[in-house]
Amino acid sequence: RTPMNAIIGFSEVALDGPLDADTRQHLKTIHRSARSLLGLLNDILDTAKLEHGAVELEQRDFSLRQLCGEVMATLQLAADRKHLALRLAVDPAVPAFHRGDPLRLQQILLNLVGNAVKFTEQGGVTIEVRTVEAGALEIAVRDTGIGIPADRIAHIFDPFAQADPTMTRRFGGTGLGTTIARQLTQLMGGRIGVDS
């Protein structure tokens, strides 16, 4: 990660200076590509750590409503660019505070909501939170996107899996986001699934 951070940092410094149009465009490409590569590195490192049991969960009190709001704020610009509605629906029976690892839960939601925004062309994305049996939480991410073919649903949480081979070219991504979401959910003692 260190060399990628250096490339990102120094390309930002260079972009702040006086440049001709061609050089600026080349630097923007370098910067954008470095950010994509850093995302890939982070996903691979997270997956490797999770597979080897090297991730320890933090246990602290946090506001789930606030966490969901932060996820929505992070992805609002991407949703706005596509004219998508981004909604949060929290059942009033959901307690104000929870105990667990908010950073890892946020990582799960950013992966799932980010995918929903990425694969939705019109309509919107909703995060729904409610309590279910024995006080457990259910968080659902619903979208009006392109859906997942029935023969691919069983593989959606597999490493490097895409719903369709053309997805990587069209939408980008590593195919690790849902794998990481599954691994983290299981580490927290939860379950994750998909309906299309």
Side-chain angles (χ1 to χ4, degrees), residues 123-145:
V125 177
T126 303
I127 303 173
E128 297 175 358
V129 184
R130 66 186 185 113
T131 53
V132 288
E133 72 280 345
L137 280 176
E138 179 180 84
I139 303 173
V141 177
R142 302 189 189 283
D143 65 63
T144 57

Side-chain angles (χ1 to χ4, degrees), residues 36 61 75 77 83 86 112 150 158 168 171:
S36 293
D61 295 329
L75 296 168
L77 186 60
H83 307 289
L86 200 51
L112 299 180
D158 293 348
T168 302
F171 294 101

